[in-house]
């Protein structure tokens, strides 16, 4: 598995079009190149999901693991990642105006309906070689 002291890791569904868009945005906004992406369907993503008590076969959760080992999940992870990458990612911080219970409710609704709302896309099929270099096995 990846050395967490070196890279932050975003763990997301590798078959979700919304997550594929998120991966593209991470690649575009993370100028440092230190954020790696672990599709839940891969070896690293599966292991990280299990390590944090989540079912990799039911990928409604999203994780962001910082270099120091701190973990956020779901919408809090998306907001943290937006803050970390900067640029237009900072707009995600505005979601903090909603109470945590409302953010959790919103995230759950989108996560459960993501394929219907956004469709499917294989993250590993994205042709951008720079993005592919961020993907963990």
């Amino acid at each position: 598995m990846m050395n967490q002291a070196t890279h932050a890791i975003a763990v997301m569904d590798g078959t979700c079009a919304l997550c594929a868009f998120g991966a593209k945005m991470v690649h575009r906004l993370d100028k440092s190149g230190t954020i790696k992406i672990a599709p839940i369907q891969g070896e690293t993503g599966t292991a990280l999901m299990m390590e944090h008590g989540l079912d990799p076969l039911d990928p409604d959760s999203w994780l962001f693991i910082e270099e120091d080992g701190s973990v956020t999940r779901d919408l809090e992870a998306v907001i943290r990642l937006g803050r970390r990458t900067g640029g237009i990612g900072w707009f995600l911080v505005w979601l903090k105006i909603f109470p945590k219970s409302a953010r959790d409710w919103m995230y759950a609704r989108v996560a459960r309906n993501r394929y219907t709302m956004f469709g499917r896309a294989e993250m590993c099929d994205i042709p951008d070689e720079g993005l592919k270099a961020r993907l963990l096995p």
Side-chain angles (χ1 to χ4, degrees), residues 111-129:
R112 287 188 196 119
N113 297 295
R114 67 192 177 280
Y115 299 130
T116 302
M117 294 168 69
F118 303 101
R120 292 181 182 266
E122 291 293 328
M123 193 178 298
C124 295
D125 291 342
I126 296 172
D128 184 312
E129 292 303 318

Side-chain angles (χ1 to χ4, degrees), residues 35-102:
I35 299 172
K36 297 292 185 179
I37 300 164
I40 290 169
Q41 293 79 2
E43 179 183 320
T44 302
T46 295
L48 289 169
M49 291 287 283
M50 291 172 57
E51 181 180 323
H52 295 286
L54 299 169
D55 182 359
L57 299 177
D58 184 19
D60 283 352
S61 290
W62 209 91
L63 296 175
F64 185 60
I65 305 166
E66 299 274 2
E67 292 89 345
D68 67 3
S70 62
V71 178
T72 50
R73 59 180 281 192
D74 302 335
L75 192 54
E76 298 305 310
V78 175
I79 293 168
R80 178 68 193 118
L81 181 60
R83 182 179 294 155
R84 169 78 183 265
T85 58
I88 62 171
W90 266 97
F91 284 111
L92 294 168
V93 174
W94 283 94
L95 292 169
K96 288 277 197 178
I97 64 170
F98 297 102
K100 184 170 179 351
S101 59

